[in-house]
Amino acid sequence: ATTIEVSAGATRVLDIRIPLLKDLRASGWYSGNTHTHYHLELDEHPDDRLRLVPPAEALDVSVISYLIRNELPYITNRYPIGRLPEFSRDGTLVDMGEEARNNSAPWATGYGHCLFLNIPRLVEPVSTGVLSRDGKAPDFPTLSMLCAEAKRIGGTTVWCHNGGGMEMPVAVALGVVDAFNLADGQEANYANYYRLLNCGFRLPASSGTDWWIYDHNRVFVQARGEGGFSYEAWIQGLRAGRTFVSNGPLLELTVNGQGPGASLQAEGPLRVAARALSRLPFDRLEIVRDGEVVAEESALRQREARLEREIPVMRGGWVAARVSSRAKTHAGFTVFAHTSPVYYRVAGTPFRRAEAAGALVDAIEEAMRFVRKNYKFASDADKALALGRFEQGRNIYAKLVADSER
């Protein structure tokens, strides 16, 4: 510890150097926050926060999201959509994106919330239904329709808040979701994520902080672009699933020598190697196969854990590493970390779980009943289009159930 005394009216400067826990950039890993909004009122100018805070957080990528909640004057809406070169400094690239949203009530998630990264323009309407500017707009278009438009113009789509929202499984089934945010603004919850992975979808893990940078949630992406780091290479790595998410611990995972996002053919037990390293305390490093913990190692001094195991497999599926902890961050959230999966196949065996798909069939049918009864549309044709998206999603999961049971 260092002590410095400052007398009244005096100024003292103290440089404090904090050693790196691990040099991730040396192996091509770059951090990002995919989800940030700024407070409506700030003590300082918002430009100062954009210039100072993301670099101070050592973020390589910081995505700010345009959003609408009625007439609230979000200060970040003042910035233009796209790259913000005047704020991309000191090693941080800043991008202005969008959060498209629909709630069924002012504080109750309806269709859901989804982020659009690397877009050339707004995808409108930004908010529908009770979140629209006057709070009276129809609940149309649906969020999966807006995701499809974002992808059409070259954007990357990331579903928010642990997969909350009744259209989330529909959008994933229709192929318009590129990544899945865990813990942005909430405690990490893996239930929805594991259910989708057990349906056989390749879905990268991502994260952010949502309401300002008040915690350390971030996604680390292995970018493999030629000529060093670039936003394009980072986006490509995110979409490929070469990621892990964390609010503190650093994670490594290989399965048969391959990292997160890889797909492999298993001809025997999987050789799994993982490591967790953290300044924040944690309890265990765990290996998760198809949503179940199949191996674990207690943390040494609550700061580091290593694990090497052979994991038997009888059918195709996925494997990921995660950190389990009872400790809290400075912002009061549980310490966590989770890799994107390594996907594996076993010849002649299924890799989807009928129970996971069946649960989503039930969820979509319940959502359709809710939409028919409660949501507003400008015309019967729009209502039919919206319900048609849900019907398409339901049919995809119903087919997965049938195929998984053969």
Side-chain angles (χ1 to χ4, degrees):
T2 300
T3 302
I4 184 169
E5 294 184 5
V6 182
S7 58
T11 300
R12 298 288 300 275
V13 177
L14 177 65
D15 290 332
I16 300 175
R17 296 187 179 275
I18 302 175
L20 286 175
L21 193 60
K22 182 182 178 184
D23 186 1
L24 290 176
R25 291 178 180 175
S27 52
W29 290 86
Y30 295 87
S31 66
N33 183 341
T34 63
H35 190 178
T36 315
H37 313 293
Y38 284 27
H39 289 287
L40 305 181
E41 297 179 0
L42 292 173
D43 293 333
E44 72 270 26
H45 197 281
D47 288 6
D48 294 334
R49 286 206 174 188
L50 268 184
R51 291 191 183 98
L52 297 174
V53 176
E57 288 285 317
L59 287 167
D60 297 298
V61 173
S62 181
V63 182
I64 315 300
S65 301
Y66 186 101
L67 79 162
I68 290 174
R69 177 183 282 276
N70 308 125
E71 293 293 339
L72 293 179
Y74 288 97
I75 61 169
T76 37
N77 288 0
R78 64 190 291 168
Y79 302 112
I81 296 297
R83 226 64 53 82
L84 300 179
E86 66 272 33
F87 301 114
S88 298
R89 50 184 291 176
D90 299 324
T92 301
L93 187 149
V94 181
D95 178 38
M96 184 69 187
E98 173 184 344
E99 183 181 359
R101 310 196 299 177
N102 172 271
N103 282 13
S104 56
W107 295 101
T109 304
Y111 291 146
H113 298 185
C114 193
L115 303 168
F116 303 150
L117 286 58
N118 199 31
I119 50 175
R121 60 169 174 80
L122 278 178
V123 178
E124 296 186 282
V126 176
S127 290
T128 58
V130 297
L131 297 181
S132 62
R133 292 197 183 277
D134 63 2
K136 300 177 181 178
D139 296 287
F140 187 84
T142 74
L143 199 53
S144 69
M145 296 168 74
L146 295 173
C147 288
E149 174 62 12
K151 288 177 66 66
R152 189 190 70 79
I153 63 175
T156 293
T157 60
V158 183
W159 203 277
C160 300
H161 309 310
N162 296 315
M166 59 185 174
E167 201 182 1
M168 179 277 296
V170 173
V172 171
L174 296 179
V176 294
V177 177
D178 294 314
F180 188 101
N181 260 10
L182 293 166
D184 49 342
Q186 303 176 3
E187 290 279 1
N189 186 311
Y190 308 129
N192 286 324
Y193 189 49
Y194 289 176
R195 189 171 290 127
L196 292 167
L197 294 176
N198 284 343
C199 287
F201 294 109
R202 292 177 56 94
L203 198 57
S206 178
S207 193
T209 52
D210 190 13
W211 190 244
W212 184 226
I213 300 177
Y214 56 84
D215 204 1
H216 293 293
N217 289 359
R218 60 193 63 189
V219 53
F220 289 87
V221 176
Q222 190 175 42
R224 296 176 178 171
E226 295 182 3
F229 169 74
S230 69
Y231 191 35
E232 289 72 21
W234 191 87
I235 287 287
Q236 184 179 27
L238 174 67
R239 294 167 66 117
R242 298 191 298 269
T243 75
F244 71 89
V245 297
S246 175
N247 61 2
L250 304 181
L251 267 181
E252 301 172 18
L253 171 70
T254 62
V255 179
N256 290 4
Q258 300 192 52
S263 296
L264 55 90
Q265 194 71 28
E267 298 178 352
L270 300 175
R271 302 183 307 278
V272 177
R275 182 191 184 201
L277 185 64
S278 180
R279 285 196 174 95
L280 294 172
F282 70 96
D283 298 321
R284 293 181 307 281
L285 170 62
E286 300 173 335
I287 300 301
V288 182
R289 183 189 64 198
D290 300 337
E292 301 294 332
V293 175
V294 293
E296 61 182 64
E297 189 68 36
S298 296
L300 181 65
R301 297 185 301 277
Q302 291 192 295
R303 293 299 190 274
E304 182 177 5
R306 295 174 182 264
L307 183 155
E308 292 187 14
R309 299 281 196 282
E310 284 197 349
I311 306 297
V313 293
M314 302 299 294
R315 54 182 290 174
W318 57 272
V319 170
R322 75 184 187 193
V323 160
S324 177
S325 179
R326 292 165 293 178
K328 301 290 185 179
T329 68
H330 72 280
F333 288 90
T334 303
V335 173
F336 84 100
H338 202 296
T339 70
S340 284
V342 172
Y343 308 89
Y344 64 91
R345 302 292 179 257
V346 176
T349 71
F351 59 92
R352 299 184 174 97
R353 302 297 189 267
E355 63 274 15
L360 293 173
V361 170
D362 294 342
I364 292 172
E365 289 178 344
E366 181 179 352
M368 293 174 69
R369 289 191 291 270
F370 183 90
V371 169
R372 288 192 185 98
K373 181 179 179 181
N374 298 286
Y375 266 20
K376 299 177 297 183
F377 297 92
S379 67
D380 289 340
D382 286 351
K383 185 174 184 177
L385 282 173
L387 289 169
R389 305 288 286 188
F390 281 84
E391 184 67 22
Q392 290 178 59
R394 193 202 72 83
N395 290 343
I396 289 170
Y397 289 104
K399 186 175 187 303
L400 293 182
V401 172
D403 292 344
S404 299
E405 292 177 342
R406 291 175 183 170

